[in-house]
Amino acid sequence: MKQIFNTNNAPAPIGPYSQAVKANGFLFLSGQVAINPQTGELTQSSISEETHQVMKNIKAVLLEASYNFNDVVKTTIFLTDMALFSEVNEVYGTYFESSSNFPARETVAVKGLPKGVNVEISMIACKG
């Protein structure tokens, strides 16, 4: 049995998918990009601000499903340029309470991302 989660505090899906799906205690979050859910506009003034918006969007989806960053077990970061890795990594790390509780992760370079963004992040969280 699966449960679908969507919140107005994160950007609405731009295709046939849900923001998150819960199954057997796992929460699978679709990739988030730096769309401000209040304005519908992209946040791209800097890669740091772009990453913060992505993480805020993820946090909103996690909270909607009663999860938080401490429940995240796996992350995938997609970057259009690996030269952005250091700045993205720095911002990403600030959303976790303890360096001993980081999830597993991979970061991959891709040719392009939706809406011309520089970073997209997806996550899997688990409780119980």
Side-chain angles (χ1 to χ4, degrees):
M1 187 164 153
K2 68 181 182 179
Q3 186 176 1
I4 305 298
F5 290 92
N6 287 295
T7 176
N8 292 331
N9 295 321
I14 55 175
Y17 62 90
S18 299
Q19 290 172 337
V21 176
K22 182 179 176 184
N24 297 323
F26 284 92
L27 184 70
F28 300 88
L29 286 85
S30 295
Q32 287 289 327
V33 297
I35 297 173
N36 180 317
Q38 282 72 45
T39 66
E41 299 296 318
L42 287 170
T43 302
Q44 290 184 294
S45 57
S46 70
I47 190 60
S48 292
E49 286 304 312
E50 189 173 346
T51 305
H52 273 296
Q53 185 64 60
V54 169
M55 296 300 283
K56 289 175 191 175
N57 294 344
I58 290 169
K59 182 178 181 178
V61 177
L62 286 168
L63 290 175
E64 181 69 19
S66 299
Y67 285 71
N68 62 53
F69 284 109
N70 288 330
D71 300 316
V72 174
V73 295
K74 179 74 167 62
T75 302
T76 303
I77 300 175
F78 302 94
L79 295 174
T80 56
D81 184 347
M82 281 304 229
L84 303 172
F85 176 79
S86 180
E87 288 179 82
V88 170
N89 193 52
E90 185 175 325
V91 172
Y92 165 91
T94 65
Y95 285 81
F96 295 90
E97 289 182 20
S98 166
S99 62
S100 64
N101 194 29
F102 288 131
R105 181 184 85 183
E106 69 262 333
T107 303
V108 295
V110 295
K111 185 174 181 178
L113 289 167
K115 297 194 172 278
V117 299
N118 298 299
V119 59
E120 180 174 356
I121 301 175
S122 65
M123 294 187 178
I124 300 171
C126 182
K127 283 193 178 196

